[in-house]
Amino acid sequence: MHILLSGIVGSTAYGLAHAGSDIDRLGLFAAPTEQFHGLHRPTESQVTTAPDRTLHEAAKWCRLALSCNPTAAELAWLPAELYEVRTPLGEELIGIRRSFLSERAVRNSYLGYATQQFRKLSSRDPSDETSRRRAAKHARHLVRLVRQGLALHETGELRIRLTDPERVRELGERCADRPELAAGLLADAESRFDRSGVLPAAPDEGPAESWLRRVRLAHLPSPA
C-alpha cells in the first residue's frame, strides 16, 4: 500500500472537538498496479478503529468525490496543518479538487446527509439524557453539512473549519429540544439550493482520469 494523501478529519477539523473526542483520520492509497490484472480487484477500503482511520483506494476515492460524498471530499480541502501525508501525487489531487464538483451532486449529497441527521435527531427520546446528547450531535452535523453544502453551491469552496463552533454547539443544543428549528434550517437550505449557484451541471472527469493514469503508471513494478 502506498498512501498518497492522509489527514485528520471529523470534529477536530471542524473545530467541534472536545476533551475525550476521538481523532479521526482519512486517507487514500494506491494499490500496486499489477494487482488490477488478476481475477480479483484489490481491497478498495481499509477501516481500523485503533486508531480510527479510513483509507480508500485512489479510484474509489475519485468515484466518491465525483458524487460529492461529504465524508470523502473533505480530504482534498483540509487546512494545511491537518495533513499528515502529502505526497506529490496527493498534492496534484488537491490541485484538481474543483473538477470533482457539480451542482446536482453537491445538492443531493449535502442535503441528503443533512436530512439523515434530521431523522436521527427527530427520533430522540426526550426523557433519556443520552438520547438527547446524541440528538444534539446530529443537529451539529446537520448545521455543518448545510453550511458546507451551501458554501460549495454559492462559492465553489468547501469550508472545513467552522468560523463559529460555539454557535454551532449552542444551535445543536436548541435543535435537540426543538427539532422544528432544524426543519427550518433544512427548508431554508433547499430554497437557497434552488437558486443559481457557481457550480457546473456535471463534474469534469478528465482531470481525475488523467491523475489516476499517472497513479497507475507510478505504481507499476520496476523492470527486472
Side-chain angles (χ1 to χ4, degrees), residues 7-24:
I8 296 173
V9 295
S11 59
T12 302
Y14 311 142
L16 291 172
H18 55 78
S21 290
D22 293 330
I23 295 179
D24 300 309

Side-chain angles (χ1 to χ4, degrees), residues 15 19 28 40 70 79-80 83-84 92 97 106 121 125 133 138 145 154 157 165 184 189 198 210-212 215:
L28 65 87
H40 305 289
Y83 285 109
E84 297 180 313
E92 287 183 34
R97 62 192 181 185
V106 165
L121 78 89
D125 178 355
R133 285 197 299 270
H138 296 316
L145 287 160
E154 296 171 352
E157 296 289 321
V198 301
S210 296
W211 179 79
L212 273 174
V215 169

Side-chain angles (χ1 to χ4, degrees), residues 39-169:
L39 284 174
H40 305 289
R41 296 179 64 85
T43 299
E44 289 200 310
S45 293
Q46 297 189 12
V47 180
T48 61
T49 55
D52 293 317
R53 185 176 73 166
T54 298
L55 295 173
H56 296 304
E57 209 284 320
K60 180 175 181 179
W61 186 90
C62 285
R63 292 194 299 271
L64 290 170
L66 285 166
S67 71
C68 295
N69 176 284
T71 304
E74 66 186 53
L75 177 61
W77 295 83
L78 291 175
E81 67 272 16
L82 292 181
Y83 285 109
E84 297 180 313
V85 177
R86 192 166 174 170
T87 66
L89 282 167
E91 193 71 37
E92 287 183 34
L93 187 65
I94 293 171
I96 63 171
R97 62 192 181 185
R98 288 176 181 81
S99 65
F100 291 90
L101 302 174
S102 61
E103 182 177 303
R104 178 176 296 181
V106 165
R107 178 190 179 118
N108 290 346
S109 293
Y110 282 83
L111 269 184
Y113 274 72
T115 300
Q116 288 179 18
Q117 298 299 320
F118 178 70
R119 293 195 189 104
K120 291 176 180 178
L121 78 89
S122 298
S123 65
R124 79 205 188 292
D125 178 355
S127 64
D128 183 346
E129 181 57 29
T130 300
S131 177
R132 187 196 171 284
R133 285 197 299 270
R134 284 198 299 267
K137 179 179 179 180
H138 296 316
R140 291 194 296 272
H141 285 303
L142 183 153
V143 173
R144 171 185 61 80
L145 287 160
V146 163
R147 288 188 178 189
Q148 289 180 331
L150 288 173
L152 278 169
H153 177 69
E154 296 171 352
T155 72
E157 296 289 321
L158 178 54
R159 300 166 186 166
I160 299 297
R161 180 159 288 150
L162 298 169
T163 57
D164 53 353
E166 288 305 319
R167 173 168 166 70
V168 172
R169 289 192 188 93

